[in-house]
C-alpha cells in the first residue's frame, strides 16, 4: 500500500474565534492557504510539526491529535512521529 501525501491538519471545524485562529486546528486562514500550496511531503510534515508547536504554546488543542490521526488513517497516510507522540 503506497503512502499518500500528508493530509491537511484541518479537522473540518473551521471556526476562527481565537484571535483569527481556528478552534479546531489553530491555523489562520493564511496558514490554511499556505498548506495547500505545499507540494513536497517533507514540507507538509514540517508544517504539521510547526503547527503542533503552535498548538502547545496556545493551549486548548488537545482534541486535535486524535482527530488528525483518524484523518491520516482514513487517507492511508502515515502520521508524523510528532502526532504519534501526542497520542501516546
Amino acid at each position: 500500500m503506497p503512502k499518500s501525501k500528508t493530509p491537511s491538519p484541518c479537522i473540518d471545524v473551521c471556526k476562527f474565534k481565537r484571535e483569527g485562529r481556528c478552534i479546531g486546528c489553530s491555523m489562520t486562514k493564511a496558514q490554511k492557504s499556505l498548506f495547500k500550496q505545499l507540494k513536497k511531503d517533507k514540507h507538509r510534515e514540517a508544517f504539521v510539526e510547526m503547527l503542533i508547536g503552535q498548538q502547545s504554546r496556545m493551549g486548548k488543542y488537545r482534541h486535535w491529535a486524535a482527530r488528525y490521526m483518524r484523518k491520516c488513517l482514513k487517507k492511508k497516510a502515515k502520521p508524523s512521529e510528532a502526532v504519534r507522540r501526542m497520542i501516546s
Side-chain angles (χ1 to χ4, degrees), residues 7-44:
S8 169
C10 175
I11 57 171
D12 301 321
V13 173
C14 301
K15 294 191 189 251
F16 298 90
K17 294 185 176 184
R18 290 188 186 140
E19 298 174 8
R21 296 186 181 280
C22 176
I23 62 173
C25 64
S26 84
M27 287 193 287
T28 62
K29 289 179 182 181
Q31 287 174 321
K32 285 185 180 236
S33 295
L34 174 65
F35 186 85
K36 291 175 186 176
Q37 295 172 14
L38 299 175
K39 301 300 179 204
K40 292 187 178 182
D41 206 44
K42 66 181 180 181
H43 295 155
R44 287 172 161 246

